[in-house]
Amino acid sequence: MSGRKCEKAKGSRPAVWIHQVRCEGVPPNQMGIRYHRMFLILLLLHGANAALKDPVQKWQTLSGAPPLVIARGGYSGLFPDSSHLAYQFALENSLPETVLFCDLKLSSDNVGFCKTCLVLNNSTLIAEVFPKDDKTYKVNGEDRHGWFSVDFTSDQLMHNVTLIQNVLSRPSVFDGTMGMSLVDDVVGLQPPQLWINVQYAQFFLDHKLNIEEYISSKAKEFGINYVSSPEVGFLKNLGVKLRKSNVKLVLRFLDEQLIEPSTKQSYGAILKDLKSVKTFASGILVPKTYIWPVNKDHYLQPATNLVKDAHDLGLEVYAYKFANDIFSSYNYSYDPSAEYLQFIDNSDFSVDGVLTDFPSTASAAIACLAHTKGNPLPPPGNDTRPLIITHNGASGIFPGGTDLAYRQAVEDGADIIDCSVQMSKDAVPFCLDSPDITKGTTAATMFLTKVATVNEIQKGSGIFSFDLSWSEIQTLKPDLVGPFSQQGLKRNPAAKNSGKLMTLADFLAFSKSSNVSGILVDIRNAPYLATRGIGIVDAVSSALINASYDKETRQQVLIASEDSAVLGAFNKFPGFKRVLQIGNVISDASKQSVEEVAKFADAVSISRGSVVQAHGSFLVQFTNVVDKMHAANLSVYVGLLKDEFMNLGFDFLANPMVEIVTYSSLMVDGIVTEFPATAAEYFRSPCSDFSKNLTYTIMPAKPGSLLSLTDPSVLPPAEGPAPVLEPADVVDPPLPAVTVGGHGAASSPSNDSSTKSSAIAVGASSGFCLLVAGLAALLAASSR
């Protein structure tokens, strides 16, 4: 990786995401703007409330106690690891029993400090301060080049060297603002428990620095509870020195094929002889794949017997490599809580603790979500929870608008399932997110001659449903393309082309037979379709009447549209609830505009940016749009929620559940999501009831809290405020009459490049087919 540049926009996530640490050899001046000052500790309390007695849970840990949350370098998922702020934030936002994890390093004068990497240039600005002091040393038999703590005194390190974030998808705005943490500094925070990890004991011994002596002399003073190391010899020797203490020794396993330096055995071989490990250690710390293996396609395999075997021998088992922003398996559908639960709340075992970069998420999994799968989902309401409304079904797991996506949504606990109605050439209404069927189907590989431009629908060319008959559309396969596929975050590839598209009639029949509390029918592009001879409003009305939804009392019918005239056309159905979709981000709503909306709608559906304003990837403040709509007796639905961490501002801590909690705290009436299971999981938990005043709960984000810790000069330029909603934005002209016969196929001006593309497409080569397919995938990835 030497010499390779790793850059991202200040204060925001990288345009193309690859989870990796900063590369060695990057010129220091490309690491972001630095300034040498310490921030005041973040006054943000996400967890510790005055407690009532929490429900007693049974755990399958070795001791029967809840698993430990072990904060690697503090809250290293947000702040530079091992910084004072990272450690403080971890304590304030995690379970009261949270363990602080310190990777111990020694300076040349035998002073201990906490830092994850052996070479300091990956996570500090030491190369800027001491540009000529890099060295090359043998470490476990291999050459390592960089800046090493053994070459600097504690004064040099503590007074000159500042920290940087070493994972590129995380905030860089704190770079250069915090100094290194002595072990004494971490102890000064009075953590409930302290875990010292020693990764390179032999390396320090080679430089006449004895970590065994350091720990044994400081164990009582520091109140050390755990010491881990991948070196068997070190733990055995330390055990002799600490035999009269209560310090637990833990063998840290590295990748199975790597060689343990003192025994010269592979870690895989040592794993097969846990009885010998028990002779010098009380526990093991293993990569999470030792317990739940993942195959080459990133799907979970059956669990190993490691936890059970270790517990049978009296060994505790701790797992590591947990982080909300590291992709691990498609089985978790980008919900980090689901991964923790896989390790602590399955029917067979629980690990004794998890080592994580995001201790608040692990805390929530333990305190809020474990043992709740059988809990009933409380009914939605003003004093309980918002509605869970899908977006094309559970479209985060199966292709949107398919039978599988809808079945999954019902299984996952959705209240309202939705159908975004599109129309075929022969006027068959069916469910798909966009009239451009290159988004969500394989049309780009089958109907190249149908490529056209319809400026009334979208910018750029596409293949439109109203240019194909329903029988032609039925020949297509659905296509699951996630919004961040280009950044490497795909969705459930095993189901990429699974399921079948549903007509509106099929959707209504399915809904009637399910236990959902309602349906949402989304109607768009009605004026344009009328000019094509297609009456989408009449088609939807007829389908609802044929399915007896005009007389339905068990399920609520929501009619959604961005066109006020469409909603007005459904006045003849007094039982239906009309929802105005406000697609553009707004910063406020004028009194007159809200009054106009209330004349023809019962609810509004607004974007997330209309609820909370952001600067870069940091939340700034809440708007008052929700309150203004509520004052006019309008329900408010907020979307679109996605689980991928790339979709989340930093204040949500890479946890989609925090976003759900945040909107719930604002009393929105519904959340629109592609992952209904994540919302249902939260609302089933005791933590969704704030009146219970539990020891730990999931708290909403506080806009501005993180931003207040940054230097404005390191943030991207602030964008101007979003517009205020005015009456002209919500009142549309009457719908045009449906033109019998329409005006023919969608077309482009003769000088439009897409016309040329269409002409070429008639005799397209296989290479051109691939190009169009690629463009279609890009369109799908960037939609919404």
Side-chain angles (χ1 to χ4, degrees), residues 66-77 86-87 90-91 94-103 191-197 225-228 248 250 252 283-286 316-323 340 344 351-364 366:
L68 287 175
V69 175
I70 310 160
R72 188 191 71 83
Y75 213 108
S76 52
Y87 282 122
L91 290 177
S94 309
L95 279 168
E97 304 83 13
T98 293
V99 184
L100 295 188
F101 186 90
C102 168
D103 256 307
Q193 297 190 78
L194 179 62
W195 186 310
I196 299 294
N197 182 66
N225 304 95
Y226 299 84
V227 176
S228 60
K248 291 184 176 182
V250 179
R252 180 171 187 167
I284 57 176
L285 175 62
V286 299
E316 294 175 325
V317 181
Y318 304 94
Y320 70 97
K321 293 191 177 181
F322 286 92
Y340 291 110
I344 66 171
V351 297
D352 300 283
V354 291
L355 178 61
T356 174
D357 294 7
F358 292 84
S360 65
T361 307
S363 297
I366 294 167

Side-chain angles (χ1 to χ4, degrees), residues 10-12 71 111 147 151 196 280 334 424 490 496 514 551 586 598 615 620 632 657 683 699 718 725 743 772 774:
K10 299 168 187 172
S12 61
V111 174
W147 282 254
D151 296 317
I196 299 294
F280 62 87
Y334 297 102
S424 67
K490 297 179 181 179
K496 179 175 173 60
S514 73
K551 302 179 181 66
I586 57 174
H615 183 189
V620 177
M657 207 167 282
F683 292 124
M699 296 295 287
L725 190 70
H743 62 50
V772 174

Side-chain angles (χ1 to χ4, degrees), residues 120-174:
L120 300 179
N121 47 295
N122 286 340
S123 55
T124 76
L125 298 177
I126 193 168
E128 239 180 38
V129 183
F130 301 105
K132 298 181 180 180
D133 290 337
D134 53 319
K135 300 285 178 58
T136 298
Y137 290 122
K138 287 284 185 185
V139 181
N140 293 334
E142 296 183 0
D143 285 341
R144 292 286 297 274
H145 180 81
W147 282 254
F148 296 83
S149 64
V150 296
D151 296 317
F152 301 93
T153 66
S154 56
D155 279 347
Q156 287 177 307
L157 294 174
M158 304 311 298
H159 296 151
N160 297 284
V161 178
T162 53
L163 306 176
I164 58 176
Q165 178 58 258
N166 67 334
V167 177
L168 299 183
S169 58
R170 297 173 180 174
S172 62
V173 295
F174 305 111

Side-chain angles (χ1 to χ4, degrees), residues 1 3 8 38 49 77 80 89 134 165 215 217 221 248 257 369 391 401 429 470 495 497-498 563 668 682 728 733:
M1 296 174 68
K8 64 175 177 176
M38 283 295 295
N49 297 327
F89 193 88
D134 53 319
Q165 178 58 258
I215 291 177
S217 66
E221 175 188 345
K248 291 184 176 182
Q257 73 277 10
L369 307 175
H391 179 248
W470 175 241
N497 299 122
S498 300
D563 193 313
V668 301
Y682 168 68

Side-chain angles (χ1 to χ4, degrees), residues 199 229-230 250-256 266-274 277 283-287 290 306 320-321:
Q199 202 77 1
S229 177
V250 179
L251 177 62
R252 180 171 187 167
F253 283 76
L254 306 181
D255 291 345
E256 291 191 44
S266 70
Y267 288 99
I270 297 173
L271 191 69
K272 296 175 183 178
D273 188 15
L274 290 179
V277 175
I284 57 176
L285 175 62
V286 299
Y290 272 41
L306 174 59
Y320 70 97
K321 293 191 177 181

Side-chain angles (χ1 to χ4, degrees), residues 450-725:
K450 299 290 187 177
V451 173
T453 296
V454 182
N455 292 324
E456 296 90 336
I457 301 291
Q458 67 181 30
K459 295 179 180 178
S461 59
I463 300 173
F464 296 93
S465 64
F466 42 77
D467 285 333
L468 279 75
S469 67
W470 175 241
S471 60
E472 289 176 312
I473 293 171
Q474 285 181 293
T475 66
L476 301 173
K477 291 181 179 180
D479 192 17
L480 177 59
V481 179
F484 303 104
S485 294
Q486 297 297 318
Q487 289 82 14
L489 300 181
K490 297 179 181 179
R491 289 181 174 176
N492 196 12
K496 179 175 173 60
N497 299 122
S498 300
K500 64 177 182 179
L501 297 177
M502 299 181 75
T503 64
L504 178 58
D506 291 339
F507 169 81
L508 296 176
F510 170 77
S511 304
K512 269 286 182 74
S513 66
S514 73
N515 61 354
V516 295
S517 58
I519 60 171
L520 182 147
V521 180
D522 179 7
I523 303 172
R524 300 187 184 186
N525 305 310
Y528 175 78
L529 290 170
T531 68
R532 296 293 306 272
I534 299 173
I536 187 172
V537 170
D538 290 340
V540 170
S541 299
S542 297
L544 290 167
I545 292 171
N546 291 339
S548 300
Y549 266 103
D550 57 327
K551 302 179 181 66
E552 176 65 33
T553 57
R554 183 177 66 91
Q555 293 179 333
Q556 174 73 62
V557 177
L558 281 66
I559 301 296
S561 181
E562 56 192 2
D563 193 313
S564 62
V566 170
L567 298 181
F570 284 87
N571 283 334
K572 58 186 178 182
F573 299 103
F576 293 1
K577 190 170 185 175
R578 294 160 298 167
V579 183
L580 177 67
Q581 294 175 324
I582 304 174
N584 294 330
V585 174
I586 57 174
S587 60
D588 199 352
S590 70
K591 185 174 184 292
Q592 295 80 4
S593 68
V594 175
E595 290 173 348
E596 286 295 336
V597 173
K599 292 177 182 178
F600 59 81
D602 307 292
V604 294
S605 180
I606 59 178
S607 66
R608 300 178 305 158
S610 298
V611 178
V612 57
Q613 297 173 347
H615 183 189
S617 293
F618 292 93
L619 306 187
V620 177
Q621 63 182 4
F622 293 125
T623 71
N624 60 3
V625 172
V626 173
D627 290 339
K628 286 193 173 182
M629 296 297 178
H630 279 168
N633 203 29
L634 290 164
S635 298
V636 179
Y637 308 137
V638 177
L640 181 62
L641 276 62
K642 306 177 178 74
D643 276 9
E644 290 96 339
F645 78 90
M646 292 285 290
N647 188 55
L648 302 171
F650 290 128
D651 300 73
F652 294 128
L653 307 176
N655 184 357
M657 207 167 282
V658 175
E659 184 177 34
I660 293 168
V661 176
T662 301
Y663 296 134
S664 299
S665 72
L666 297 175
M667 304 301 291
V668 301
D669 303 280
I671 55 173
V672 184
T673 176
E674 297 181 334
F675 295 87
T678 305
E681 181 181 43
Y682 168 68
F683 292 124
R684 285 192 181 98
S685 78
C687 292
S688 64
D689 185 351
F690 287 98
S691 68
K692 289 187 176 180
N693 198 29
L694 301 172
T695 304
Y696 184 87
T697 192
I698 309 172
M699 296 295 287
K702 292 182 64 176
S705 294
L706 291 181
L707 195 63
S708 67
L709 299 176
T710 66
D711 182 343
S713 68
V714 305
L715 294 170
E719 296 181 3
V724 175
L725 190 70

Side-chain angles (χ1 to χ4, degrees), residues 390-402 404-410 412 414 417-418 480 491 673-677:
T390 68
H391 179 248
N392 306 308
S395 53
I397 301 175
F398 291 105
T402 63
L404 295 181
Y406 291 125
R407 288 174 190 168
Q408 187 67 50
V410 173
D412 289 344
I417 57 174
D418 70 305
L480 177 59
R491 289 181 174 176
T673 176
E674 297 181 334
F675 295 87

Side-chain angles (χ1 to χ4, degrees), residues 265-466:
Q265 289 183 291
S266 70
Y267 288 99
I270 297 173
L271 191 69
K272 296 175 183 178
D273 188 15
L274 290 179
K275 285 184 180 180
S276 66
V277 175
K278 178 60 179 172
T279 63
F280 62 87
S282 62
I284 57 176
L285 175 62
V286 299
K288 58 189 180 183
T289 52
Y290 272 41
I291 299 168
W292 283 101
V294 177
N295 67 17
K296 63 180 178 61
D297 297 318
H298 301 292
Y299 287 94
L300 289 179
Q301 300 300 287
T304 67
N305 291 322
L306 174 59
V307 177
K308 288 183 176 180
D309 291 346
H311 281 177
D312 287 344
L313 293 170
L315 280 169
E316 294 175 325
V317 181
Y318 304 94
Y320 70 97
K321 293 191 177 181
F322 286 92
N324 296 8
D325 55 358
I326 294 178
F327 172 76
S328 55
S329 170
Y330 293 113
N331 295 79
Y332 304 129
S333 299
Y334 297 102
D335 175 9
S337 299
E339 181 173 26
Y340 291 110
L341 293 174
Q342 190 79 12
F343 285 79
I344 66 171
D345 188 28
N346 63 73
S347 59
D348 294 327
F349 62 84
S350 170
V351 297
D352 300 283
V354 291
L355 178 61
T356 174
D357 294 7
F358 292 84
S360 65
T361 307
S363 297
I366 294 167
C368 298
L369 307 175
H371 311 129
T372 63
K373 291 180 181 177
N375 288 5
L377 189 62
N382 291 335
D383 56 349
T384 52
R385 64 171 180 86
L387 289 165
I388 303 172
I389 305 171
T390 68
H391 179 248
N392 306 308
S395 53
I397 301 175
F398 291 105
T402 63
D403 56 339
L404 295 181
Y406 291 125
R407 288 174 190 168
Q408 187 67 50
V410 173
E411 180 181 326
D412 289 344
D415 299 302
I416 307 290
I417 57 174
D418 70 305
C419 173
S420 296
V421 180
Q422 310 304 334
M423 301 295 292
S424 67
K425 186 176 182 178
D426 45 351
V428 176
F430 67 98
C431 303
L432 192 66
D433 187 47
S434 171
D436 180 0
I437 57 176
T438 63
K439 304 169 184 177
T441 79
T442 56
T445 62
M446 298 182 66
F447 291 101
L448 290 174
T449 58
K450 299 290 187 177
V451 173
T453 296
V454 182
N455 292 324
E456 296 90 336
I457 301 291
Q458 67 181 30
K459 295 179 180 178
S461 59
I463 300 173
F464 296 93
S465 64
F466 42 77

